Amino acid sequence: MRIVIMAPGSRGDVQPYIALGKGLQTAGHYIHLVSHSNFESLVTSYSLEFWSFGNDVKDAVENSDMRELTEKGNFLLLMAKEAEREALHFAEGGLAAAQGMDIVLSGMGGLYIGIAIAEKLDIPLVQAYVVPFTPTQELPSVLTPKLPTLLNRFSHQLTRQLMWQGFRSADTIARKKVLNIPAAPLMGPYHSKTTHYMPILYGFSPSVIPVPADWNGDTHVTGYWFVDEADDWQPPAALLDFLQSGSPPVYIGFGSMSNRNPEQIADLVIQALALTHQRVILLSGWGGLQKTNIPDSIFMIDAIPHSWLFPRVSAVVHHGGASTTAAGLKAGVPSVVIPFFGDQPFWGQRVADLGVGSKPIPRKRLTAERLANAIQEVVTNEVLRQRAAKLGKQIQSENGIESAVNIFSQLEKRKVAYRLTAVSRGEQPEGQKKKKK
């Protein structure tokens, strides 16, 4: 099949879809992956065909207004502002990539533009998420404040409406000015015919989040979607020297989380390390963590593959993004999660509930003393470390990509049925008319 994957967001958001796309391509499917221009080299390094939304997401993250929203933890407003600003780019880039394709695949970040494009071309859409999004009574929503357990299902419906109402303006702009299709319903496109009878995939481990009993048989928890590092990747010699010169260090990094005063964060980290006497690898990331005259016990680096580094450290301190959390769990080392916003508090609490990390410390409450205490706990608590190692082995034994590919192997019949339904209505799907031979 010809599958177009909509993958907006940070590197941590995009990377699972690169892994899924690579697995599908290896299985014989033809893949277009649409993302931001700054990820072109990353996508093509896995031999996937890259299509651009036409913008650089790093520029948006480093915008002063976005930094302020990040610090305030206003995730939904941040997403809505970015969506409205880039609505035309997303629609134009996504539509170009989807011409002649059979199926659109989207996660949370690309859901609404994915549905709109699927409706325009009259092709089905497969939902593929890395966080729980299907309503269930067994789990709270990842994006709403914790409510009583009785309200778990309601919390998912609330999240869906908060997200949609934030995105609705951008979606209407895209539908009207680029796609020339009617506006979506007031309460959202969640019942779009493009999703009917299509599977929903979840790229996380059932060992981390067991499959809720009230999800139907078309909703699958496949296991994580991890990328393999390129064969020619080599770690910097200075990093290897640092790793070999002492005990395993602690990793500290906050990925794409931006901050108006990155040096303040670096100072806090240095103060915490003075209290714990730990060696540290500090990732500067998109947040721009910088500090001059750092002690020899700290090695600072701009970027490094988590899959390579995390098994070589004693613990990981991070923001709790879905992909970073997954990498830490797979490595079998304990975590300290410092959530900023969005789904990060959910993952921080999940790590704590599994007994493989400390209690999460919200970014607004982070102090050197709290960070030092959490690091000390995860590097010295042997029971916790054994639990983390056991969970890591379980995740390593799973193959989320293979499970997802097997589900797609059943989709050819559904694709044919979808086309026949369109023909029975006297239509010839637009995507089919333009399909390349």
Side-chain angles (χ1 to χ4, degrees), residues 181-193:
I181 58 174
L186 177 64
M187 303 302 285
Y190 295 114
H191 301 293
S192 170
K193 66 182 179 65

Side-chain angles (χ1 to χ4, degrees), residues 119-150:
E119 289 180 1
K120 170 67 176 177
L121 300 179
D122 205 0
I123 57 178
L125 179 135
V126 171
Q127 300 166 72
Y129 302 110
V130 295
V131 299
F133 193 62
T134 302
T136 174
Q137 188 57 40
E138 295 184 20
L139 291 168
S141 165
V142 300
L143 295 182
T144 54
K146 190 171 182 180
L147 299 173
T149 303
L150 183 65

Side-chain angles (χ1 to χ4, degrees), residues 8 42 61 95 148 152 164 166 175 193 218-219 274 277 321 354 403 407:
L42 176 65
V61 168
L95 181 61
N152 276 353
W164 166 244
R175 286 169 175 261
K193 66 182 179 65
D218 271 337
T219 305
H277 307 290
L354 290 167
S403 297
I407 293 165

Side-chain angles (χ1 to χ4, degrees), residues 15 47-48 51 66 135 159 202 222 233 338 354 411 425:
Q15 199 159 275
S47 302
L48 292 172
W51 291 68
M66 292 299 182
T159 288
Y202 280 100
T222 64
W233 186 86
I338 315 294
L354 290 167
L411 273 182
R425 297 196 302 263

Side-chain angles (χ1 to χ4, degrees), residues 325-337:
T325 301
L329 296 176
K330 181 185 180 184
V333 296
S335 297
V336 176
V337 177

